[in-house]
Amino acid sequence: MRTTSLALAGIGLLALAACDSSPAPTPPQGGDTAATGGVNVSGPALRIVGSSTVYPFTTAVAENFRRKYPAAAAPIVESTGTGGGIKLFCGGVGTQHPDIANASRRIKKSEVELCNTNGVKQIVEVQVGLDGIAIAQSKSDAHLDVTPAQIFLALAATKPDGSKNTVTTWNQIDPKLPSRKIEVLGPPPTSGTRDAFNELVMEAGCSTFPNLKALKDSNEDEYKTRCTKLREDGVYVEAGENDNLIVQKLVANPTAVGIFGYSYLEENLDKIEGVKMNGVAPEYEAIASGAYPASRPLYIYVKGEHARAKPALAVFLQEYTSEAAFGPEGYLKSRGLIAEPDAERKASAAAAAALTPLDITALK
């Protein structure tokens, strides 16, 4: 687990008034000039948990927030994985529970129901940008160019006919692929990146086989299992929530490939390179346009019940959704975040400013 805190000492644990959970006033505009007065950033440090993919972006916002408002307690940002972070976020209301959950997939209806059971009912969804599920390899080996169907054939626990998957080299799937061992390092089941990989790559590849596509209508649970259950014979290796560790392993093992968010590829292009999918490389413009097949939105989820006791929450959200941060030329671009289209960014900023509650009917 990765944790960053610019100042852990001296944080007072103030009681949250659950009965007064009305949204905090929108902070005044002004950026740096507001840092000298007029902005209320009192209260305990903001605590943020969740996705390892969103972690670098939220950390950058936390650092900028701290520079602008040195009187505020430094936000504490932890990388716990999307599923683990949402579970912590949904644990309840109070200073012992997080204020924000980073997520590399959309929150599930079942998770919202867990939140509600524990008194967390004012959940604000803010889409902060776009990302691609990057497949990467060392620069020192033969280039891969694969399709979702080929990835499915390499990693699924069973073949399309239901028998055990025993292929060991890429060229056994297609003679045009390199004759090297299939070794894939990727995220665990608790990761939002794993969820997105299953949906955008494994299911996309699975559905190209008519018998499996037909199974979706007759037995969706079996379809999900057949499409997304990964091999457990050493071909697919769960590498934890530390995506930097996967990068290091790719450098040490040039025959392996890794799966993680685009930002980690972008930060390490001196060591590794993206694997093309359907002939399209995981690059900024291709992900932003949707040309790259494994593109996904990234989110933060905010606990509205904490806004009154932690005025800094509203100020932090204003910073995150400012054009200077998540805009096309904002400072998060250098960290690998891909900006949403203009209309979506405006909607995200408006939801953050108004603390608009999430509509659960839109969730699966």
Side-chain angles (χ1 to χ4, degrees):
M1 177 188 296
R2 291 182 294 173
T3 305
T4 181
S5 174
L6 306 178
L8 290 174
I11 298 174
L13 294 179
L14 304 182
L16 286 168
C19 60
D20 181 15
S21 57
S22 56
T26 301
Q29 301 294 316
D32 291 333
T33 61
T36 58
V39 176
N40 184 359
V41 290
S42 62
L46 298 176
R47 184 182 171 206
I48 306 162
V49 296
S51 167
S52 62
T53 299
V54 184
Y55 172 89
F57 312 134
T58 300
T59 298
V61 174
E63 291 168 351
N64 217 49
F65 169 83
R66 180 63 171 160
R67 282 193 292 269
K68 286 186 175 183
Y69 307 104
I76 301 166
V77 188
E78 302 170 74
S79 176
T80 63
T82 295
I86 290 177
K87 185 176 180 180
L88 290 169
F89 176 83
C90 290
V93 174
T95 52
Q96 70 272 37
H97 301 291
D99 308 289
I100 296 174
N102 296 324
S104 56
R105 59 157 170 83
R106 201 172 196 193
I107 196 170
K108 300 174 183 176
K109 186 176 181 180
S110 60
E111 291 169 331
V112 173
E113 290 168 349
L114 173 63
C115 271
N116 292 171
T117 298
N118 292 326
V120 181
K121 299 181 178 180
Q122 296 181 28
I123 304 170
V124 181
E125 179 183 81
V126 182
Q127 186 174 324
V128 295
L130 302 171
D131 183 38
I133 305 295
I135 299 176
Q137 65 171 42
S138 167
K139 287 187 172 184
S140 63
D141 212 324
H143 304 295
L144 275 176
D145 186 342
V146 292
T147 66
Q150 290 168 339
I151 295 171
F152 170 75
L153 290 173
L155 298 184
T158 56
K159 297 178 182 179
D161 64 6
S163 62
K164 184 179 178 180
N165 191 353
T166 58
V167 298
T168 57
T169 61
W170 287 101
N171 68 331
Q172 287 177 325
I173 295 170
D174 187 325
K176 295 178 182 178
L177 295 175
S179 58
R180 76 178 195 233
K181 184 179 178 182
I182 301 172
E183 295 179 87
V184 180
L185 308 170
T190 54
S191 168
T193 298
R194 173 75 165 265
D195 290 335
F197 175 74
N198 283 342
E199 178 183 350
L200 298 173
V201 181
M202 292 297 290
E203 286 192 46
C206 180
S207 64
T208 63
F209 298 92
N211 65 313
L212 293 174
K213 186 176 182 180
L215 184 61
K216 185 175 184 179
D217 295 327
S218 61
N219 189 336
E220 187 166 3
D221 289 342
E222 179 65 14
Y223 167 81
K224 284 281 187 183
T225 299
R226 292 277 298 277
C227 290
T228 64
K229 182 174 175 56
L230 301 185
R231 297 171 67 169
E232 297 177 347
D233 56 0
V235 168
Y236 181 85
V237 179
E238 292 180 4
E241 298 287 358
N242 188 343
D243 293 332
N244 281 316
L245 181 61
I246 298 180
V247 173
Q248 294 168 19
K249 289 184 176 181
L250 294 183
V251 175
N253 181 5
T255 64
V257 298
I259 300 167
F260 38 66
Y262 165 77
S263 65
Y264 288 89
L265 170 62
E266 197 272 341
E267 289 176 1
N268 294 280
L269 287 174
D270 58 326
K271 307 181 191 75
I272 58 176
E273 64 182 14
V275 170
K276 290 182 179 179
M277 199 181 310
N278 290 346
V280 181
E283 297 173 345
Y284 187 99
E285 293 300 333
I287 296 169
S289 68
Y292 181 69
S295 302
R296 61 172 172 173
L298 301 176
Y299 303 91
I300 59 173
Y301 289 95
V302 184
K303 193 170 293 177
E305 287 89 349
H306 286 191
R308 181 62 66 178
K310 292 189 175 183
L313 186 58
V315 186
F316 182 83
L317 294 178
Q318 177 182 277
E319 173 62 28
Y320 213 136
T321 58
S322 67
E323 284 296 289
F326 82 156
E329 300 303 324
Y331 60 79
L332 293 180
K333 180 181 179 181
S334 66
R335 299 290 184 107
L337 184 70
I338 295 166
E340 301 174 86
D342 291 350
E344 282 81 355
R345 283 201 319 281
K346 289 178 182 178
S348 294
L355 293 177
T356 306
L358 172 68
D359 179 7
I360 192 173
T361 62
L363 302 177
K364 296 180 180 179

